[in-house]
């Protein structure tokens, strides 16, 4: 079967704000019989380039290795 990942950023100071997005994607992946093999959720990304100040890019690259 197909594999899927969720990679998302938000400006909020807590990734818990993305719970609804995460649930929506999990339900969609299940509906399509895709296996969710991981996620990278990064908070504190308010403007272009902010993600470079986090470990999000490293985690996304590590997750890509599993695909």
């Amino acid at each position: 079967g197909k594999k899927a990942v969720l990679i998302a950023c938000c400006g909020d100071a807590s990734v818990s704000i993305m719970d609804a997005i995460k649930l929506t994607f999990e339900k969609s992946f299940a509906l399509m019989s895709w296996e969710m093999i991981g996620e990278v959720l990064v908070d504190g990304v308010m403007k272009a380039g902010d993600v470079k100040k986090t470990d999000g890019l490293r985690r996304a690259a590590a997750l890509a290795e599993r695909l």
Side-chain angles (χ1 to χ4, degrees), residues 36-50:
M36 185 166 174
I37 63 166
E39 65 185 42
V40 176
L41 304 176
V42 183
D43 58 5
V45 179
M46 294 293 289
K47 55 188 175 191
D50 281 353

Side-chain angles (χ1 to χ4, degrees), residues 3-36:
K3 297 181 179 174
V5 300
L6 173 60
I7 299 175
C9 298
C10 72
D12 201 81
S14 172
V15 295
S16 66
I17 197 74
M18 290 189 273
D19 287 349
I21 293 169
K22 182 178 170 182
L23 181 62
T24 300
F25 275 87
E26 287 172 346
K27 296 284 187 185
S28 296
F29 295 160
L31 182 66
M32 295 181 285
S33 298
W34 293 359
E35 177 188 3
M36 185 166 174

Side-chain angles (χ1 to χ4, degrees), residues 42-65:
V42 183
D43 58 5
V45 179
M46 294 293 289
K47 55 188 175 191
D50 281 353
V51 74
K52 294 178 184 176
K53 301 173 190 170
T54 73
D55 67 345
L57 297 176
R58 179 194 56 77
R59 291 189 294 138
L63 185 55
E65 293 293 320

